[in-house]
Structure formats: structure tokens, C-alpha cells
Amino acid sequence: TTPWPRLQLPEPAPRIHYNRELVKIASQFEPMIQVLRKRVEAAGADTEVARRRYRPELSVSLEGGTYSGDGSFRQGTLLVGLKLPWFNRGRYRAEVAQSHSLRAALEEELIDQQLETSHEVHDLVVQIDDARRRARLQREELIPRTRQMLESAHAAWVSGAGQVRDLLEI
């Protein structure tokens, strides 16, 4: 027997303006952009590793051997190694060029993803604005007109000039 409370639509949301700050926030938290940034950093590190492989490398090591019976020192060996990469210059340059081109491709993909995110934010702002305008139209135009039509159909039905079907349809 308790009547239901009157249903009210919430106020339309405030207008959202498309701007660089909104795109910056979206780009900062977009997971694919974060992944691509990490991949660009990793590709840069790979390029640096490939460049360092081209440098000569000197290694020194010391090995010692002991007698298993009493644990006394038996022999020692000093090893010196020198890697000269200049003889395989083409292979090292190709490796550096490959890692550099991979990084450039990832940077282009990152730029493409940022532009796609910007377009997606723009589309979402347009959709939100459209929904906001529809909500205002519903609140300010359609609901009052429908209510007025319902009242006039109810009055016509009560006076006997209208039909129940029209009242139920409204």
C-alpha cells in the first residue's frame, strides 16, 4: 500500500572538452603504450649491447689445482684472452643496424598507438557529448510532452471521448 517514490533522472553530466591534457592522461595510462615504451627502451639497450660487442675484449683468469690426497697445491695456470672483433666487422655492423632498425620500427609503432589513442579519446568525448545532449533532450522536451499527452489522453478517457487503447499506448 506504500506508493513508490517518484523516479527522477539524474542531472546530465557536465560537458567534457577534448584537449591535450585529456589525451596526455589517456596516453599515460594506456597499457599498450606502456608496453611499447618498455619495448623501445629494451631495443635501445640491445642496440647499445650490439655496439659494445664491436669493441675489443681482454679477459684474464687464474686456475689452480690441488692434490686430492693431502690438499697441497699442485699446479696453477694463468689464462689471457683477447677478442678482436675487427675481423668480423660486417657481422657486427649488421647486428647494430638490425637492432637500430628494430628500435626505429618500435618508435613508429609507439607513435601510431599514441595517435590511435588520441582518436579513441576524441570518439569517446563525442559519444559522451551525444549521450549528454540526448539526456537533456529527454529531460527537457520528451518527458514533459509525454506527460502532457498522458494527462490529455487520461482526461479524454475519463470524459468518455477517448479510448483506453490510446491511454495505454501513451
Side-chain angles (χ1 to χ4, degrees), residues 89-124:
R89 187 175 291 179
R91 186 177 129 231
Y92 288 108
R93 284 186 181 167
E95 188 177 343
V96 169
Q98 179 185 5
S99 62
H100 183 69
S101 65
L102 176 65
R103 180 176 183 201
L106 287 171
E107 287 173 346
E108 292 295 324
E109 190 175 345
L110 176 63
I111 291 169
D112 184 53
Q113 185 65 38
Q114 287 172 337
L115 288 173
E116 187 176 324
T117 301
S118 174
H119 289 302
E120 186 177 349
V121 168
H122 181 267
D123 290 345
L124 289 173

mmCIF file of all heavy atoms in Angstrom, residues 89-124:
data_model
loop_
_atom_site.group_PDB
_atom_site.id
_atom_site.type_symbol
_atom_site.label_atom_id
_atom_site.label_comp_id
_atom_site.label_asym_id
_atom_site.label_seq_id
_atom_site.Cartn_x
_atom_site.Cartn_y
_atom_site.Cartn_z
ATOM 1 N N ARG A 89 83.903 -7.393 -38.978
ATOM 2 C CA ARG A 89 83.305 -6.058 -38.948
ATOM 3 C C ARG A 89 81.904 -6.034 -39.572
ATOM 4 O O ARG A 89 80.992 -5.424 -39.035
ATOM 5 C CB ARG A 89 84.226 -5.096 -39.692
ATOM 6 C CG ARG A 89 83.831 -3.666 -39.596
ATOM 7 C CD ARG A 89 84.864 -2.794 -40.252
ATOM 8 N NE ARG A 89 86.077 -2.838 -39.441
ATOM 9 C CZ ARG A 89 87.201 -2.199 -39.734
ATOM 10 N NH1 ARG A 89 87.268 -1.486 -40.833
ATOM 11 N NH2 ARG A 89 88.246 -2.277 -38.955
ATOM 12 N N GLY A 90 81.706 -6.704 -40.665
ATOM 13 C CA GLY A 90 80.417 -6.710 -41.346
ATOM 14 C C GLY A 90 79.315 -7.331 -40.493
ATOM 15 O O GLY A 90 78.188 -6.827 -40.451
ATOM 16 N N ARG A 91 79.639 -8.417 -39.814
ATOM 17 C CA ARG A 91 78.641 -9.085 -38.974
ATOM 18 C C ARG A 91 78.209 -8.187 -37.818
ATOM 19 O O ARG A 91 77.021 -8.063 -37.509
ATOM 20 C CB ARG A 91 79.217 -10.388 -38.424
ATOM 21 C CG ARG A 91 78.196 -11.191 -37.675
ATOM 22 C CD ARG A 91 78.764 -12.518 -37.186
ATOM 23 N NE ARG A 91 78.452 -12.599 -35.766
ATOM 24 C CZ ARG A 91 79.308 -12.863 -34.811
ATOM 25 N NH1 ARG A 91 80.559 -13.082 -35.088
ATOM 26 N NH2 ARG A 91 78.920 -12.907 -33.572
ATOM 27 N N TYR A 92 79.169 -7.526 -37.183
ATOM 28 C CA TYR A 92 78.844 -6.649 -36.051
ATOM 29 C C TYR A 92 78.061 -5.418 -36.505
ATOM 30 O O TYR A 92 77.123 -4.998 -35.833
ATOM 31 C CB TYR A 92 80.119 -6.232 -35.318
ATOM 32 C CG TYR A 92 80.731 -7.362 -34.525
ATOM 33 C CD1 TYR A 92 81.899 -7.983 -34.932
ATOM 34 C CD2 TYR A 92 80.114 -7.823 -33.367
ATOM 35 C CE1 TYR A 92 82.447 -9.021 -34.218
ATOM 36 C CE2 TYR A 92 80.660 -8.865 -32.636
ATOM 37 C CZ TYR A 92 81.840 -9.463 -33.074
ATOM 38 O OH TYR A 92 82.366 -10.493 -32.354
ATOM 39 N N ARG A 93 78.432 -4.853 -37.639
ATOM 40 C CA ARG A 93 77.686 -3.699 -38.161
ATOM 41 C C ARG A 93 76.258 -4.092 -38.527
ATOM 42 O O ARG A 93 75.328 -3.327 -38.306
ATOM 43 C CB ARG A 93 78.400 -3.115 -39.372
ATOM 44 C CG ARG A 93 79.605 -2.309 -39.010
ATOM 45 C CD ARG A 93 80.185 -1.631 -40.211
ATOM 46 N NE ARG A 93 81.370 -0.877 -39.834
ATOM 47 C CZ ARG A 93 82.225 -0.383 -40.699
ATOM 48 N NH1 ARG A 93 82.035 -0.551 -41.995
ATOM 49 N NH2 ARG A 93 83.280 0.291 -40.279
ATOM 50 N N ALA A 94 76.094 -5.280 -39.091
ATOM 51 C CA ALA A 94 74.744 -5.751 -39.436
ATOM 52 C C ALA A 94 73.904 -5.943 -38.172
ATOM 53 O O ALA A 94 72.709 -5.623 -38.156
ATOM 54 C CB ALA A 94 74.827 -7.055 -40.221
ATOM 55 N N GLU A 95 74.528 -6.439 -37.125
ATOM 56 C CA GLU A 95 73.802 -6.629 -35.858
ATOM 57 C C GLU A 95 73.377 -5.286 -35.267
ATOM 58 O O GLU A 95 72.250 -5.136 -34.788
ATOM 59 C CB GLU A 95 74.694 -7.388 -34.868
ATOM 60 C CG GLU A 95 73.999 -7.796 -33.616
ATOM 61 C CD GLU A 95 74.909 -8.611 -32.688
ATOM 62 O OE1 GLU A 95 75.949 -9.112 -33.149
ATOM 63 O OE2 GLU A 95 74.565 -8.713 -31.504
ATOM 64 N N VAL A 96 74.273 -4.297 -35.309
ATOM 65 C CA VAL A 96 73.936 -2.962 -34.816
ATOM 66 C C VAL A 96 72.833 -2.345 -35.670
ATOM 67 O O VAL A 96 71.868 -1.769 -35.153
ATOM 68 C CB VAL A 96 75.189 -2.046 -34.802
ATOM 69 C CG1 VAL A 96 74.809 -0.604 -34.559
ATOM 70 C CG2 VAL A 96 76.173 -2.518 -33.752
ATOM 71 N N ALA A 97 72.927 -2.488 -36.980
ATOM 72 C CA ALA A 97 71.909 -1.928 -37.881
ATOM 73 C C ALA A 97 70.556 -2.604 -37.654
ATOM 74 O O ALA A 97 69.514 -1.936 -37.659
ATOM 75 C CB ALA A 97 72.348 -2.094 -39.332
ATOM 76 N N GLN A 98 70.558 -3.904 -37.435
ATOM 77 C CA GLN A 98 69.310 -4.626 -37.206
ATOM 78 C C GLN A 98 68.644 -4.161 -35.914
ATOM 79 O O GLN A 98 67.438 -3.891 -35.885
ATOM 80 C CB GLN A 98 69.563 -6.123 -37.149
ATOM 81 C CG GLN A 98 68.314 -6.930 -36.898
ATOM 82 C CD GLN A 98 68.605 -8.412 -36.736
ATOM 83 O OE1 GLN A 98 69.753 -8.820 -36.715
ATOM 84 N NE2 GLN A 98 67.560 -9.205 -36.618
ATOM 85 N N SER A 99 69.415 -4.057 -34.839
ATOM 86 C CA SER A 99 68.822 -3.623 -33.571
ATOM 87 C C SER A 99 68.383 -2.164 -33.642
ATOM 88 O O SER A 99 67.361 -1.783 -33.060
ATOM 89 C CB SER A 99 69.800 -3.850 -32.416
ATOM 90 O OG SER A 99 70.971 -3.094 -32.600
ATOM 91 N N HIS A 100 69.117 -1.346 -34.399
ATOM 92 C CA HIS A 100 68.723 0.054 -34.570
ATOM 93 C C HIS A 100 67.422 0.165 -35.373
ATOM 94 O O HIS A 100 66.534 0.957 -35.031
ATOM 95 C CB HIS A 100 69.841 0.837 -35.260
ATOM 96 C CG HIS A 100 69.544 2.287 -35.411
ATOM 97 N ND1 HIS A 100 69.496 3.149 -34.334
ATOM 98 C CD2 HIS A 100 69.259 3.037 -36.506
ATOM 99 C CE1 HIS A 100 69.185 4.369 -34.765
ATOM 100 N NE2 HIS A 100 69.043 4.320 -36.073
ATOM 101 N N SER A 101 67.285 -0.628 -36.428
ATOM 102 C CA SER A 101 66.060 -0.585 -37.228
ATOM 103 C C SER A 101 64.873 -1.138 -36.439
ATOM 104 O O SER A 101 63.746 -0.652 -36.597
ATOM 105 C CB SER A 101 66.240 -1.354 -38.535
ATOM 106 O OG SER A 101 66.435 -2.726 -38.285
ATOM 107 N N LEU A 102 65.104 -2.117 -35.578
ATOM 108 C CA LEU A 102 64.035 -2.632 -34.724
ATOM 109 C C LEU A 102 63.550 -1.545 -33.766
ATOM 110 O O LEU A 102 62.339 -1.365 -33.580
ATOM 111 C CB LEU A 102 64.507 -3.855 -33.936
ATOM 112 C CG LEU A 102 63.514 -4.437 -32.946
ATOM 113 C CD1 LEU A 102 62.297 -4.993 -33.661
ATOM 114 C CD2 LEU A 102 64.173 -5.509 -32.101
ATOM 115 N N ARG A 103 64.485 -0.795 -33.204
ATOM 116 C CA ARG A 103 64.100 0.294 -32.312
ATOM 117 C C ARG A 103 63.319 1.370 -33.070
ATOM 118 O O ARG A 103 62.311 1.888 -32.572
ATOM 119 C CB ARG A 103 65.329 0.913 -31.656
ATOM 120 C CG ARG A 103 64.945 2.034 -30.728
ATOM 121 C CD ARG A 103 66.096 2.615 -30.001
ATOM 122 N NE ARG A 103 65.586 3.630 -29.084
ATOM 123 C CZ ARG A 103 66.317 4.584 -28.589
ATOM 124 N NH1 ARG A 103 67.592 4.649 -28.865
ATOM 125 N NH2 ARG A 103 65.791 5.465 -27.784
ATOM 126 N N ALA A 104 63.758 1.708 -34.270
ATOM 127 C CA ALA A 104 63.047 2.717 -35.069
ATOM 128 C C ALA A 104 61.631 2.244 -35.398
ATOM 129 O O ALA A 104 60.681 3.029 -35.334
ATOM 130 C CB ALA A 104 63.824 3.012 -36.348
ATOM 131 N N ALA A 105 61.486 0.958 -35.721
ATOM 132 C CA ALA A 105 60.156 0.422 -36.026
ATOM 133 C C ALA A 105 59.258 0.471 -34.786
ATOM 134 O O ALA A 105 58.073 0.808 -34.876
ATOM 135 C CB ALA A 105 60.272 -1.010 -36.531
ATOM 136 N N LEU A 106 59.814 0.151 -33.625
ATOM 137 C CA LEU A 106 59.034 0.208 -32.389
ATOM 138 C C LEU A 106 58.650 1.645 -32.044
ATOM 139 O O LEU A 106 57.548 1.888 -31.534
ATOM 140 C CB LEU A 106 59.816 -0.435 -31.234
ATOM 141 C CG LEU A 106 59.906 -1.959 -31.283
ATOM 142 C CD1 LEU A 106 60.882 -2.462 -30.230
ATOM 143 C CD2 LEU A 106 58.536 -2.578 -31.095
ATOM 144 N N GLU A 107 59.526 2.597 -32.309
ATOM 145 C CA GLU A 107 59.186 4.002 -32.067
ATOM 146 C C GLU A 107 58.045 4.441 -32.968
ATOM 147 O O GLU A 107 57.141 5.163 -32.523
ATOM 148 C CB GLU A 107 60.418 4.886 -32.275
ATOM 149 C CG GLU A 107 61.438 4.772 -31.174
ATOM 150 C CD GLU A 107 62.726 5.515 -31.464
ATOM 151 O OE1 GLU A 107 62.951 5.902 -32.638
ATOM 152 O OE2 GLU A 107 63.509 5.707 -30.527
ATOM 153 N N GLU A 108 58.065 4.009 -34.225
ATOM 154 C CA GLU A 108 56.965 4.343 -35.146
ATOM 155 C C GLU A 108 55.660 3.704 -34.687
ATOM 156 O O GLU A 108 54.593 4.317 -34.759
ATOM 157 C CB GLU A 108 57.304 3.886 -36.572
ATOM 158 C CG GLU A 108 58.431 4.659 -37.216
ATOM 159 C CD GLU A 108 58.085 6.112 -37.441
ATOM 160 O OE1 GLU A 108 56.917 6.412 -37.754
ATOM 161 O OE2 GLU A 108 58.986 6.952 -37.299
ATOM 162 N N GLU A 109 55.746 2.468 -34.206
ATOM 163 C CA GLU A 109 54.554 1.791 -33.700
ATOM 164 C C GLU A 109 54.013 2.504 -32.460
ATOM 165 O O GLU A 109 52.798 2.621 -32.278
ATOM 166 C CB GLU A 109 54.886 0.332 -33.373
ATOM 167 C CG GLU A 109 53.689 -0.511 -33.072
ATOM 168 C CD GLU A 109 54.038 -1.976 -32.872
ATOM 169 O OE1 GLU A 109 55.152 -2.397 -33.229
ATOM 170 O OE2 GLU A 109 53.177 -2.688 -32.359
ATOM 171 N N LEU A 110 54.912 3.012 -31.617
ATOM 172 C CA LEU A 110 54.502 3.772 -30.434
ATOM 173 C C LEU A 110 53.777 5.054 -30.838
ATOM 174 O O LEU A 110 52.725 5.384 -30.283
ATOM 175 C CB LEU A 110 55.718 4.097 -29.566
ATOM 176 C CG LEU A 110 55.483 4.976 -28.342
ATOM 177 C CD1 LEU A 110 54.552 4.287 -27.358
ATOM 178 C CD2 LEU A 110 56.803 5.324 -27.674
ATOM 179 N N ILE A 111 54.308 5.757 -31.821
ATOM 180 C CA ILE A 111 53.657 6.979 -32.308
ATOM 181 C C ILE A 111 52.283 6.652 -32.875
ATOM 182 O O ILE A 111 51.307 7.357 -32.617
ATOM 183 C CB ILE A 111 54.552 7.682 -33.353
ATOM 184 C CG1 ILE A 111 55.798 8.264 -32.673
ATOM 185 C CG2 ILE A 111 53.793 8.774 -34.092
ATOM 186 C CD1 ILE A 111 56.856 8.745 -33.634
ATOM 187 N N ASP A 112 52.202 5.554 -33.638
ATOM 188 C CA ASP A 112 50.925 5.136 -34.204
ATOM 189 C C ASP A 112 49.919 4.815 -33.109
ATOM 190 O O ASP A 112 48.752 5.200 -33.189
ATOM 191 C CB ASP A 112 51.143 3.920 -35.108
ATOM 192 C CG ASP A 112 49.878 3.491 -35.799
ATOM 193 O OD1 ASP A 112 49.251 4.342 -36.448
ATOM 194 O OD2 ASP A 112 49.524 2.295 -35.682
ATOM 195 N N GLN A 113 50.368 4.140 -32.065
ATOM 196 C CA GLN A 113 49.467 3.787 -30.952
ATOM 197 C C GLN A 113 49.014 5.050 -30.204
ATOM 198 O O GLN A 113 47.867 5.141 -29.773
ATOM 199 C CB GLN A 113 50.164 2.820 -29.991
ATOM 200 C CG GLN A 113 49.278 2.301 -28.889
ATOM 201 C CD GLN A 113 48.149 1.440 -29.402
ATOM 202 O OE1 GLN A 113 48.313 0.676 -30.326
ATOM 203 N NE2 GLN A 113 46.992 1.553 -28.787
ATOM 204 N N GLN A 114 49.897 6.028 -30.059
ATOM 205 C CA GLN A 114 49.513 7.277 -29.406
ATOM 206 C C GLN A 114 48.467 8.027 -30.229
ATOM 207 O O GLN A 114 47.518 8.576 -29.671
ATOM 208 C CB GLN A 114 50.752 8.154 -29.183
ATOM 209 C CG GLN A 114 51.650 7.636 -28.084
ATOM 210 C CD GLN A 114 52.963 8.384 -27.996
ATOM 211 O OE1 GLN A 114 53.411 9.002 -28.955
ATOM 212 N NE2 GLN A 114 53.585 8.322 -26.833
ATOM 213 N N LEU A 115 48.636 8.040 -31.552
ATOM 214 C CA LEU A 115 47.634 8.682 -32.409
ATOM 215 C C LEU A 115 46.299 7.936 -32.346
ATOM 216 O O LEU A 115 45.233 8.559 -32.309
ATOM 217 C CB LEU A 115 48.132 8.741 -33.851
ATOM 218 C CG LEU A 115 49.249 9.740 -34.124
ATOM 219 C CD1 LEU A 115 49.769 9.576 -35.549
ATOM 220 C CD2 LEU A 115 48.772 11.148 -33.893
ATOM 221 N N GLU A 116 46.367 6.612 -32.316
ATOM 222 C CA GLU A 116 45.137 5.830 -32.216
ATOM 223 C C GLU A 116 44.428 6.098 -30.892
ATOM 224 O O GLU A 116 43.198 6.222 -30.848
ATOM 225 C CB GLU A 116 45.481 4.339 -32.341
ATOM 226 C CG GLU A 116 44.277 3.447 -32.408
ATOM 227 C CD GLU A 116 44.661 1.997 -32.622
ATOM 228 O OE1 GLU A 116 45.628 1.731 -33.354
ATOM 229 O OE2 GLU A 116 43.979 1.133 -32.051
ATOM 230 N N THR A 117 45.192 6.233 -29.818
ATOM 231 C CA THR A 117 44.607 6.555 -28.518
ATOM 232 C C THR A 117 43.970 7.943 -28.548
ATOM 233 O O THR A 117 42.892 8.148 -27.996
ATOM 234 C CB THR A 117 45.680 6.483 -27.409
ATOM 235 O OG1 THR A 117 46.223 5.158 -27.387
ATOM 236 C CG2 THR A 117 45.109 6.806 -26.057
ATOM 237 N N SER A 118 44.633 8.888 -29.212
ATOM 238 C CA SER A 118 44.075 10.232 -29.339
ATOM 239 C C SER A 118 42.748 10.203 -30.090
ATOM 240 O O SER A 118 41.776 10.854 -29.677
ATOM 241 C CB SER A 118 45.078 11.124 -30.068
ATOM 242 O OG SER A 118 44.526 12.374 -30.334
ATOM 243 N N HIS A 119 42.688 9.436 -31.167
ATOM 244 C CA HIS A 119 41.434 9.312 -31.922
ATOM 245 C C HIS A 119 40.351 8.631 -31.082
ATOM 246 O O HIS A 119 39.179 9.017 -31.131
ATOM 247 C CB HIS A 119 41.649 8.536 -33.217
ATOM 248 C CG HIS A 119 42.434 9.281 -34.245
ATOM 249 N ND1 HIS A 119 42.037 10.501 -34.742
ATOM 250 C CD2 HIS A 119 43.597 8.988 -34.872
ATOM 251 C CE1 HIS A 119 42.917 10.918 -35.635
ATOM 252 N NE2 HIS A 119 43.875 10.028 -35.715
ATOM 253 N N GLU A 120 40.753 7.624 -30.325
ATOM 254 C CA GLU A 120 39.783 6.923 -29.480
ATOM 255 C C GLU A 120 39.227 7.848 -28.399
ATOM 256 O O GLU A 120 38.021 7.846 -28.127
ATOM 257 C CB GLU A 120 40.452 5.706 -28.831
ATOM 258 C CG GLU A 120 39.511 4.836 -28.047
ATOM 259 C CD GLU A 120 40.191 3.615 -27.474
ATOM 260 O OE1 GLU A 120 41.340 3.316 -27.831
ATOM 261 O OE2 GLU A 120 39.548 2.946 -26.638
ATOM 262 N N VAL A 121 40.089 8.672 -27.802
ATOM 263 C CA VAL A 121 39.627 9.641 -26.805
ATOM 264 C C VAL A 121 38.659 10.633 -27.450
ATOM 265 O O VAL A 121 37.623 10.965 -26.871
ATOM 266 C CB VAL A 121 40.826 10.374 -26.148
ATOM 267 C CG1 VAL A 121 40.373 11.572 -25.339
ATOM 268 C CG2 VAL A 121 41.604 9.415 -25.262
ATOM 269 N N HIS A 122 38.989 11.087 -28.656
ATOM 270 C CA HIS A 122 38.106 12.018 -29.357
ATOM 271 C C HIS A 122 36.737 11.378 -29.610
ATOM 272 O O HIS A 122 35.696 12.000 -29.370
ATOM 273 C CB HIS A 122 38.738 12.459 -30.678
ATOM 274 C CG HIS A 122 37.902 13.430 -31.434
ATOM 275 N ND1 HIS A 122 37.014 13.036 -32.397
ATOM 276 C CD2 HIS A 122 37.793 14.781 -31.341
ATOM 277 C CE1 HIS A 122 36.397 14.088 -32.873
ATOM 278 N NE2 HIS A 122 36.853 15.163 -32.267
ATOM 279 N N ASP A 123 36.736 10.135 -30.084
ATOM 280 C CA ASP A 123 35.468 9.443 -30.330
ATOM 281 C C ASP A 123 34.660 9.287 -29.044
ATOM 282 O O ASP A 123 33.439 9.474 -29.043
ATOM 283 C CB ASP A 123 35.717 8.071 -30.954
ATOM 284 C CG ASP A 123 36.226 8.160 -32.379
ATOM 285 O OD1 ASP A 123 36.120 9.252 -32.983
ATOM 286 O OD2 ASP A 123 36.738 7.138 -32.891
ATOM 287 N N LEU A 124 35.338 8.959 -27.955
ATOM 288 C CA LEU A 124 34.630 8.803 -26.681
ATOM 289 C C LEU A 124 34.049 10.127 -26.190
ATOM 290 O O LEU A 124 32.927 10.168 -25.668
ATOM 291 C CB LEU A 124 35.558 8.203 -25.625
ATOM 292 C CG LEU A 124 35.910 6.730 -25.823
ATOM 293 C CD1 LEU A 124 36.969 6.296 -24.820
ATOM 294 C CD2 LEU A 124 34.680 5.855 -25.724
#
